Amino acid sequence: MEGKRDEIRKGPWKAEEDEVLINHVKKYGARDWSSIRAKGLLQRTGKSCRLRWVNKLRPNLKNGCKFSVEEERVVIELQAQFGNKWAKIATYLPGRTDNDVKNFWSSRQKRLARILQTSATPSSSSSSNSKPRKVKKEVPAFHDVPTLQAPMFSFSMEEESSTKAQSCSSSYIDTPEPASIVPLPFHSDLVVKNELPCYDANLAQVETQTQIPFPQISQHQPELTFSPESQELLARLEDPFLFNVFGAVDAPELGAQLSLGPPLFDPFSSCLNGAREVRSPTTRGTFFDDFPSDVFDNIEPLPSP
DNA sequence: AACACCAGCAACCGCATGCTC
DNA sequence: AGAGCATGCGGTTGCTGGTGT
């Protein structure tokens, strides 16, 4: 039998453990995770320590903050481009971790599935036996959806220059982190290279001016290919009203093509001008998780596939 | 008030990748 | 070159608090 000291602890972290971990990082930096256990400081695996640091203890995290509308849009657009590359997407969202993004997306997917299911249920016009228990509890306004913000900042995973508690800001772009958030270097690994055959000319221009490459999503992608899943979604979303209402749904292709009208991904118009563009209330810019529940009353029963 | 359900979150696990010797 | 180790990433799971019935 091994002594308890050799047991690997799992589960929720205690404050003392956090403290030990923070001290270790202060001393040695965010590395050598395995040595923490080797030194007997914590009965946690190196992986666990790293995860705890990255997801919870790292400075400048937006812990406890819901995703802002901008962040949400960024995630939606980047997911459409990169797929489930959460770590990559997270680099565009200062203060967010890949886990955050992943969880956010997962929740969003569930909502989508639920809402689609609900809206597709023929007898679900107002009240039915199979109606969801709740459509949405709170409604962060999606009526005024600003355009996407440019990924002006990156966040160093190893960042430890400041440990000040970060207050939640309604938009990450508002978050004043001059000391810890540096302009994205946009190394090639962050840049989508020729993944999309064409993109918005305005964006191209701005991109040239600023030399900040950024994932582009064209409004008219010529080579859209639809996955079976997307095709099904398309079939189910035949109602044009749904397009307007839902905007960028989960199918990336749909998101690229159907959503939002104006430069779907126009990170610069707002950030360069310093003012946020306010979208028309009629064009839902993001996901429909925050619909008034009665919005579906206007939806015709979907045609059976 | 009690219960059931759900969403959000934290953490774990397995695999992939990169680095060192 | 390749084995071993450390780290990173994405998927999944379990817990908890909130909300509706």
Side-chain angles (χ1 to χ4, degrees):
Chain A
M1 261 183 249
E2 295 293 325
K4 278 228 162 191
R5 286 186 63 83
D6 290 335
E7 276 183 17
I8 295 176
R9 229 185 87 74
K10 292 183 181 179
W13 280 66
K14 294 177 182 174
E16 308 93 82
E17 291 178 301
D18 284 345
E19 199 173 338
V20 171
L21 184 54
I22 290 170
N23 286 335
H24 182 273
V25 171
K26 278 180 183 172
K27 278 184 186 174
Y28 307 104
R31 64 185 78 86
D32 295 335
W33 300 113
S34 311
S35 70
I36 297 175
R37 180 157 173 265
K39 291 173 183 170
L41 297 175
L42 290 173
Q43 301 311 117
R44 298 272 185 175
T45 65
K47 287 176 74 170
S48 181
C49 292
R50 176 191 158 272
L51 204 64
R52 181 65 179 174
W53 172 258
V54 167
N55 288 336
K56 294 302 295 180
L57 301 178
R58 206 175 57 176
N60 306 317
L61 289 177
K62 292 182 179 178
N63 276 336
C65 289
K66 293 192 71 169
F67 271 60
S68 69
V69 172
E70 291 93 339
E71 288 174 311
E72 185 167 349
R73 289 175 56 82
V74 168
V75 173
I76 291 168
E77 304 305 335
L78 293 184
Q79 202 280 340
Q81 282 221 310
F82 297 142
N84 296 358
K85 300 296 179 185
W86 308 123
K88 191 171 188 175
I89 294 171
T91 61
Y92 291 83
L93 297 166
R96 299 296 187 188
T97 69
D98 56 347
N99 217 23
D100 290 335
V101 178
K102 192 165 54 180
N103 285 333
F104 165 75
W105 190 259
S106 173
S107 299
R108 189 173 167 275
Q109 292 286 84
K110 287 178 188 171
R111 284 203 306 271
L112 171 63
R114 197 177 63 253
I115 292 175
L116 273 181
Q117 189 176 9
T118 303
S119 63
T121 304
S123 60
S124 64
S125 58
S126 56
S127 65
S128 81
N129 294 335
S130 61
K131 71 180 180 188
R133 290 172 57 84
K134 54 185 172 182
V135 171
K136 184 65 186 174
K137 40 194 172 185
E138 60 188 64
V139 182
F142 277 120
H143 302 279
D144 301 328
V145 179
T147 50
L148 267 179
Q149 302 291 338
M152 297 170 64
F153 309 113
S154 73
F155 189 87
S156 166
M157 300 288 270
E158 315 301 329
E159 184 61 62
E160 49 186 306
S161 60
S162 88
T163 54
K164 74 181 178 66
Q166 174 145 20
S167 60
C168 297
S169 112
S170 61
S171 159
Y172 71 89
I173 212 75
D174 294 336
T175 307
E177 289 297 338
S180 55
I181 299 175
V182 298
L184 258 188
F186 284 100
H187 299 307
S188 58
D189 63 327
L190 290 178
V191 178
V192 177
K193 285 175 286 195
N194 303 323
E195 289 185 6
L196 291 172
C198 68
Y199 53 89
D200 187 279
N202 294 332
L203 276 177
Q205 186 178 6
V206 176
E207 182 177 331
T208 303
Q209 291 167 353
T210 59
Q211 298 189 339
I212 299 177
F214 194 71
Q216 314 290 349
I217 295 177
S218 167
Q219 297 175 64
H220 46 280
Q221 287 181 273
E223 298 178 8
L224 279 180
T225 56
F226 294 89
S227 65
E229 182 186 356
S230 302
Q231 289 174 3
E232 183 183 341
L233 269 172
L234 268 175
R236 300 182 72 180
L237 293 175
E238 219 172 70
D239 188 333
F241 178 77
L242 280 175
F243 289 156
N244 289 336
V245 170
F246 289 168
V249 293
D250 280 273
E253 305 85 354
L254 286 179
Q257 180 141 33
L258 301 176
S259 67
L260 308 192
L264 184 57
F265 203 84
D266 182 4
F268 304 104
S269 63
S270 54
C271 76
L272 291 179
N273 298 334
R276 296 224 182 95
E277 175 186 339
V278 177
R279 233 169 245 288
S280 159
T282 58
T283 57
R284 293 301 183 86
T286 91
F287 192 55
F288 41 97
D289 75 348
D290 304 308
F291 293 166
S293 57
D294 59 351
V295 71
F296 295 104
D297 292 344
N298 298 321
I299 299 175
E300 303 260 327
L302 290 169
S304 55

